[in-house]
Amino acid sequence: MRKGILTIAAVGLLTTGGLTACSDDSGDNAAAEKTPKIGVILPDSKSSARWETADRRFLEEAFKAAGVQYDIQNAQNDKTAFQTIADQMITGGVTALMIVNLDSGTGKAVLDKAKSQGVATIDYDRLTLGGSAQYYVSFDNETVGKLQGEGLSKCLTEKGAKNPVVAYLNGSPTDNNATLFKAGYDSVLKPKFDAKEYIKGPEDAVPAWDNAQAATIFEQQLTKANGKIDGVLAANDGLGNAAISILKKNKLNGKVPVTGQDASTEGLQNILAGDQCMTVYKAVREEAKAASDLAIALAKGEKKDTGQTVKDGDRDVPSVLLTPKAITKETVKDVIADGYVTKEEVCTAAYAKFCAEAGIS
Ligand code: BGC
């Protein structure tokens, strides 16, 4: 079994060269005889609502549609629990393990162990640096950041801001995605700072994307900037909402544009109310489906050519990178039409008026 998986892993790397073969021609069919059972470890349920409300739902939908066994668990931001869950899943006979790492160190330990036990591995949403996952399925995360930078810039222009002070609330320093998001928004905003068109305000990374901590951090930023922050690049809706809560306390909400990501119910409501400038919608249904397809193929001993790779050091990781979309007040309805959130969730009594204004009927 071990030999079989190593063979698949090696061929998996070769497929990046353009092979499109879809069956195991390695001569070792051990994997092909396995009944697929897929284990998924989600990171937490607080850094973003998406993990429980979208990822769990759409992964279940994909696994059920494919008729495969699955086990989806949440590590609740506990690295020890993350490793324990992985051990239990491996012992429990999963054929593929999909992880959203809490950091690259523990992620790598889990992936390496799975690999050594002949379990196929996928980095779901977050790339594990120095890891050994056979595939990486995510969105184009630099583009996510670019959309945030462009969105903020557009909102600042609409507000007629002159030389605005822009503060940053970056994502978790241990999340490779946070690095990519920042690279994206820096590519838009740094030239403006350099040209003195915008003024760089305080910048902090929020450990583990902790929303509560983000509010404290933003309050300190606002104090440090003597109350003069004209725009906030917040890396996701949770961090954005934290900034908005402090802006509200200071009667600045609606005047200071704030960005976000994830098209969460809360983020969409903040946009409709005029307190948030934009969010980035990532169609998690597609992400879950792509990852599920790959996990099932791996479990059957098949290999798929994803058509693209992502560099992790010297390693080319076969990847699926989906396209994110910027959402503003005018397009909140698109997220609802896509079935990501419902009108009932977004348009509660307090937001009904804003929903009507935005053409959500
Ligand atoms: C995900 C975001 C999410 C954040 C916090 C990132 O890795 O790509 O969608 O908001 O983690 O959970």
Side-chain angles (χ1 to χ4, degrees), residues 120-190:
T121 50
I122 295 176
D123 267 334
Y124 181 72
D125 202 72
R126 298 179 182 165
L127 181 68
T128 302
L129 300 178
S132 55
Q134 285 160 277
Y135 289 105
Y136 167 51
V137 179
S138 191
F139 286 82
D140 179 336
N141 292 308
E142 219 169 300
T143 298
V144 170
K146 200 161 164 258
L147 295 175
Q148 292 171 322
E150 287 167 355
L152 184 64
S153 174
K154 190 156 173 273
C155 287
L156 286 167
T157 305
E158 280 165 12
K159 295 236 179 281
K162 293 267 174 303
N163 304 119
V165 175
V166 175
Y168 277 15
L169 277 178
N170 301 326
S172 170
T174 64
D175 180 351
N176 180 57
N177 284 346
T179 309
L180 299 172
F181 301 147
K182 180 171 151 62
Y185 44 81
D186 267 345
S187 74
V188 178
L189 301 175
K190 196 166 174 297

Side-chain angles (χ1 to χ4, degrees), residues 111 165 187 194 234 257 285:
L111 293 170
V165 175
S187 74
D194 291 347
R285 178 182 271 129

Side-chain angles (χ1 to χ4, degrees), residues 50 54 57-58 262-263 281-282 284 335-336 338-342:
R50 66 167 282 186
R57 170 160 71 109
F58 293 127
D262 288 344
Y281 172 50
K282 302 190 292 190
V284 172
V335 184
I336 295 174
D338 213 27
Y340 190 73
V341 289
T342 64

Side-chain angles (χ1 to χ4, degrees), residues 23 68 111 138 142 161 210 213 245 257 272 275 280 310 324 340 342:
S23 64
V68 290
L111 293 170
S138 191
E142 219 169 300
D210 185 315
Q213 222 176 312
S245 72
L272 292 171
D275 291 339
V280 178
V310 159
Y340 190 73
T342 64

Side-chain angles (χ1 to χ4, degrees), residues 64-105:
K64 280 184 184 151
V68 290
Q69 288 180 49
Y70 61 89
D71 181 8
I72 305 175
Q73 296 205 39
N74 192 314
Q76 302 299 0
N77 194 33
D78 179 336
K79 288 170 202 155
T80 310
F82 195 99
Q83 285 176 304
T84 309
I85 294 169
D87 287 344
Q88 285 164 352
M89 285 181 171
I90 295 170
T91 314
V94 295
T95 52
L97 183 64
M98 247 187 232
I99 66 161
V100 186
N101 74 52
L102 288 172
D103 66 8
S104 284

